[in-house]
Amino acid sequence: ETNSGMPGWHGLGFLPALTTLSLVLSHCSAPAPGCPPLGLESLRVSDSQLEASSSQSFGLGPHRGRLNIQSGLEDGDLYDGAWCAEEQDTEPWFQVDARHPTRFSGIITQGRNSVWRYDWVTSYKVQFSNDSQTWWGSRNRSSGTDAVFPANSDPETPVLNLLPEPQVARFIRLLPQKWLQGGTSCLRAEILACPISDPNDLFPKAPELESSDPLDFRHHNYKAMRKLMKEVNEKCPNITRIYSIGKSHQGLKLYVMEMSDQPGEHELGEPEVRYVAGMHGNEALGRELVLLLMQFLCHEFLRGDPRVTRLLTETRIHLLPSMNPDGYETAFRRGSELVGWAEGRWNHQGIDLNHNFADLNTPLWEAEDDGLVPDTVPNHHLPLPAYYTLPNATVAPETRAVIEWMKRIPFVLSANLHGGELVVSYPFDMTRTPWAARELTPTPDDSVFRWLSTVYAGTNRAMQDPDRRPCHNQDFSLHGNIINGADWHTVPGSMNDFSYLHTNCFEITVELSCDKFPHENELPQEWENNKDALLTYLEQVRMGITGVVRDKDTELGIADAVIAVDGINHDVTTAWGGDYWRLLTPGDYMVTASAEGYHTATRSCRVPFEEGPVPCNFHLTKTPKQRLRELLAAGAKVPPDLRRRLERLRGQKH
């Protein structure tokens, strides 16, 4: 099958095609580094484009030979972590059909991802074809012999080999020469390839990755990110404000872009929402989507787009593009294709920030088991455990900064943007059974969280693609592309659970893409995949009820009043002006407002299917004891009616 002679278009019968190819080859003879990935990792290359000489099993078939693909936990399951040839296959090969003439410039390989086995290829040759029948090889420039490329020395580190001469062809084939002794020929790969023009239109054109929005579609390191945020602020000074919530372990500031018609202040009755990206530094897509979103909101506001204008006048939006800037800088230096699955994930101290928040789940569930919730132990705003506040506690500066940020601003809604999968997960993230690796563990607000998750998943183009295949080892499309976090895998100390139990904020995690660090040329398509979902999710802050809890006598707002909804064992509290927001799905609810020194008040509030939020205000009357305290503190005499009422109360008590 191997043919080292001249390439040809066998089976097509078109002489012009051969002439065109010869012209293209002569024109492209110079090295062309910098070609983008063909799309094995991002799944732009479909399973039908991948073939192999043999496979050990379906789970180790050629469709699994994708860079950074992750295996399942079961040995030999349908979703294993590489393509692996049969052991008796002495001349294995792995083949990719680009479907149209393409300039191949390089190959990236990894070994097998597995918790059970070690397998990787240590060297390979490369061949090319236009018809999958006649092949020619990549040659060394000096000797003219077939080039043998060094491959992997461990299963996870990506290894890049640039071709001595870029080659234009439709097919590329990797031929493993040697592999780990005692193992089998297993690999994961990405192909670097530049599209070329086809003057005779013999092949269907490759789909273009583009967006009509005039945005900066590239990866931004820390310096470039600061510059971009400054440019947005200067372009839209009336609706933007940049502030820092703290510093990373290496001293990089955690910058936030605030977008609102009154930046810098909390307006009474206006909800606060946030997007947090880059918690894991190598999951770069969320960072770029947040930067694209701030550009888009600025641009569309200046154009007078009614949807964006309403969003910015009725909501205060906070965008944190990089919670872990130290980790991102590490990943950025390696580059989008070579950073691997884990490098840059943690902060500079080696801490996984999504396991670093205080575990408030355990004390709450223990109190519930003892029947102490909510009468003795509250079901909301749980305090930080004593161990977590100690000076030597293992708490990252990035985590502390975000916690203080949560305390300063009365956030209502949030999404935590991650990468490496296509699914939306919602709290609880930690299993209630301590030893369970996964277990359905819903919150009391499960219906709200499922709705929020469905809104994002249902408006995300990639998640709604009926033809897409699973990223790694689970097919989330079978369940609407949403999952309870604990039912996926337990995460103690997650930001989602902490937000729900320590603040008023409802937060979900969005896994944006199979590829954690997509190439720059894929950012326009990823923006189009997520643009409407990002906007629609922000608009969900309008669902449910909102209002102000006021003192009946003074009309002043009451801070820290508790809003309890009958039948839902989770309360929220008012902000310092007395305003509150309670996310609820449509239905009729009995809502109670209570505050220290006041009589409680209960009223019925209906949440319709139409867009809200529904006003649900309260006026609370001071208790006699509270009125007496205030009068005595002011040096006034007690009114006769209040004195008589206090005497009656004392008599009832005795």
Side-chain angles (χ1 to χ4, degrees):
E1 228 174 45
T2 302
N3 188 321
S4 59
M6 288 294 293
W9 294 95
H10 290 273
L12 294 178
F14 290 120
L15 181 61
L18 179 58
T19 305
T20 301
L21 180 63
S22 300
L23 290 173
V24 172
L25 281 170
S26 63
H27 179 71
C28 300
S29 58
C35 282
L38 191 62
L40 276 73
E41 182 178 10
S42 66
L43 302 186
R44 281 192 294 114
V45 172
S46 69
D47 289 353
S48 62
Q49 292 174 255
L50 305 177
E51 293 185 53
S53 56
S54 65
S55 301
Q56 289 184 18
S57 65
F58 177 79
L60 293 167
H63 64 294
R64 302 295 293 176
R66 301 173 181 272
L67 195 72
N68 284 317
I69 205 164
Q70 302 295 292
S71 68
L73 294 177
E74 302 299 325
D75 189 19
D77 67 9
L78 295 180
Y79 300 103
D80 226 320
W83 160 70
C84 291
E86 292 180 350
E87 293 186 20
Q88 60 268 33
D89 188 347
T90 58
E91 297 183 352
W93 51 261
F94 174 80
Q95 176 179 308
V96 183
D97 178 4
R99 288 186 172 164
H100 46 266
T102 302
R103 183 192 299 117
F104 298 111
S105 66
I107 300 101
I108 303 170
T109 58
Q110 288 172 309
R112 176 180 179 179
N113 175 263
S114 173
V115 297
W116 307 104
R117 288 183 57 92
Y118 290 98
D119 295 292
W120 59 79
V121 170
T122 58
S123 66
Y124 60 89
K125 292 182 179 181
V126 183
Q127 292 181 337
F128 309 92
S129 175
N130 296 316
D131 58 6
S132 76
Q133 301 298 316
T134 302
W135 296 84
W136 73 98
S138 180
R139 301 293 186 92
N140 289 312
R141 290 178 182 174
S142 56
S143 64
T145 59
D146 287 346
V148 178
F149 298 94
N152 301 89
S153 56
D154 65 61
E156 292 299 330
T157 304
V159 174
L160 166 65
N161 282 294
L162 294 177
L163 299 176
E165 298 284 346
Q167 300 288 319
V168 174
R170 174 175 168 177
F171 298 88
I172 183 170
R173 179 178 282 185
L174 309 186
L175 298 91
Q177 300 298 295
K178 295 181 180 179
W179 42 91
L180 180 68
Q181 187 173 3
T184 54
S185 174
C186 296
L187 61 78
R188 294 174 285 168
E190 181 60 88
I191 307 299
L192 302 185
C194 291
I196 64 170
S197 60
D198 178 17
N200 295 313
D201 291 326
L202 295 174
F203 296 90
K205 292 183 178 180
E208 295 183 2
L209 305 176
E210 60 182 21
S211 170
S212 60
D213 293 324
L215 308 177
D216 186 5
F217 293 106
R218 61 190 176 95
H219 287 293
H220 297 79
N221 64 5
Y222 182 74
K223 183 177 179 180
M225 180 190 76
R226 288 198 310 173
K227 182 180 178 182
L228 177 63
M229 294 177 72
K230 186 173 183 289
E231 290 172 353
V232 173
N233 177 238
E234 291 172 346
K235 185 177 180 181
C236 292
N238 296 329
I239 60 166
T240 62
R241 179 177 72 100
I242 301 172
Y243 65 95
S244 170
I245 62 172
K247 293 183 179 181
S248 70
H249 185 260
Q250 289 192 298
L252 301 182
K253 290 185 177 180
L254 308 182
Y255 285 112
V256 176
M257 174 70 79
E258 177 194 336
M259 307 194 76
S260 166
D261 61 336
Q262 296 290 332
E265 62 179 277
H266 171 74
E267 297 179 72
L268 189 72
E270 186 168 296
E272 312 262 1
V273 298
R274 69 174 184 252
Y275 278 129
V276 176
M279 169 178 270
H280 293 145
N282 65 335
E283 295 169 13
L285 179 56
R287 175 192 183 101
E288 296 309 321
L289 288 179
V290 168
L291 293 175
L292 291 167
L293 179 62
M294 63 179 71
Q295 297 174 64
F296 177 80
L297 292 176
C298 170
H299 182 266
E300 294 302 302
F301 182 82
L302 294 179
R303 286 183 61 245
D305 179 272
R307 184 184 189 186
V308 170
T309 300
R310 183 185 181 193
L311 198 56
L312 293 175
T313 53
E314 295 185 1
T315 317
R316 190 178 176 210
I317 302 168
H318 304 259
L319 305 174
L320 173 59
S322 185
M323 182 179 168
N324 180 7
D326 295 350
Y328 177 81
E329 292 300 295
T330 298
F332 181 83
R333 285 191 291 269
R334 289 284 291 164
S336 63
E337 310 312 313
L338 298 178
V339 68
W341 189 253
E343 189 173 1
R345 174 186 177 92
W346 302 278
N347 82 336
H348 193 254
Q349 298 165 283
I351 296 174
D352 187 331
L353 300 181
N354 202 34
H355 292 255
N356 195 228
F357 288 81
D359 169 18
L360 303 180
N361 306 57
T362 299
L364 174 67
W365 293 335
E366 288 176 350
E368 286 181 347
D369 292 341
D370 294 336
L372 303 177
V373 179
D375 297 327
T376 305
V377 176
N379 59 20
H380 62 96
H381 289 81
L382 274 69
L384 293 174
Y387 75 86
Y388 198 81
T389 61
L390 297 174
N392 61 347
T394 307
V395 184
E398 298 89 344
T399 309
R400 292 191 189 277
V402 169
I403 291 174
E404 292 303 314
W405 185 39
M406 292 178 178
K407 292 179 179 179
R408 287 195 303 272
I409 298 175
F411 289 114
V412 181
L413 181 65
S414 174
N416 183 10
L417 306 182
H418 284 244
E421 257 297 352
L422 263 176
V423 69
V424 181
S425 71
Y426 55 90
F428 286 120
D429 287 334
M430 179 180 174
T431 56
R432 186 156 185 155
T433 304
W435 55 84
R438 51 174 294 186
E439 173 187 61
L440 181 64
T441 312
T443 68
D445 284 289
D446 190 55
S447 60
V448 173
F449 278 115
R450 290 179 61 83
W451 170 255
L452 292 172
S453 303
T454 300
V455 163
Y456 198 101
T459 47
N460 177 285
R461 287 189 182 182
M463 293 185 192
Q464 290 306 302
D465 181 359
D467 298 322
R468 79 170 182 88
R469 51 151 287 167
C471 291
H472 299 286
N473 50 56
Q474 287 180 263
D475 189 354
F476 295 106
S477 65
L478 300 175
H479 306 286
N481 299 294
I482 71 171
I483 191 169
N484 171 248
D487 201 29
W488 183 12
H489 57 271
T490 185
V491 181
S494 78
M495 189 162 70
N496 287 5
D497 288 5
F498 183 86
S499 292
Y500 183 68
L501 296 177
H502 191 67
T503 77
N504 289 330
C505 189
F506 286 50
E507 183 172 77
I508 62 171
T509 289
V510 182
E511 299 283 349
L512 294 161
S513 170
C514 303
D515 188 348
K516 286 187 175 187
F517 205 135
H519 190 272
E520 280 185 357
N521 79 328
E522 296 184 17
L523 293 179
Q525 184 61 57
E526 293 291 0
W527 167 247
E528 291 299 321
N529 288 345
N530 288 277
K531 176 172 65 175
D532 191 47
L534 289 166
L535 296 174
T536 305
Y537 184 77
L538 291 176
E539 292 166 341
Q540 301 314 300
V541 78
R542 301 173 189 151
M543 66 183 284
I545 60 177
T546 184
V548 181
V549 180
R550 301 181 188 273
D551 184 300
K552 187 175 182 180
D553 298 325
T554 66
E555 287 293 322
L556 295 175
I558 303 173
D560 295 320
V562 176
I563 305 298
V565 179
D566 191 31
I568 302 177
N569 187 28
H570 183 77
D571 305 335
V572 300
T573 58
T574 58
W576 47 85
D579 46 349
Y580 78 92
W581 305 263
R582 183 53 166 99
L583 301 182
L584 293 167
T585 53
D588 293 306
Y589 300 93
M590 295 302 296
V591 183
T592 299
S594 59
E596 187 177 352
Y598 291 86
H599 292 292
T600 61
T602 301
R603 57 170 296 187
S604 174
C605 301
R606 166 169 286 187
V607 179
F609 284 93
E610 293 78 18
E611 185 180 312
V614 176
C616 193
N617 298 305
F618 292 88
H619 284 81
L620 302 186
T621 304
K622 290 188 180 73
T623 62
K625 185 180 292 186
Q626 180 66 19
R627 289 179 61 193
L628 178 60
R629 285 197 190 108
E630 294 176 1
L631 288 168
L632 292 175
K637 293 182 178 180
V638 180
D641 64 325
L642 180 56
R643 186 170 59 248
R644 287 192 295 270
R645 188 173 179 185
L646 287 169
E647 289 172 352
R648 285 199 302 271
L649 288 171
R650 289 193 191 99
Q652 290 175 5
K653 186 175 180 181
H654 290 305

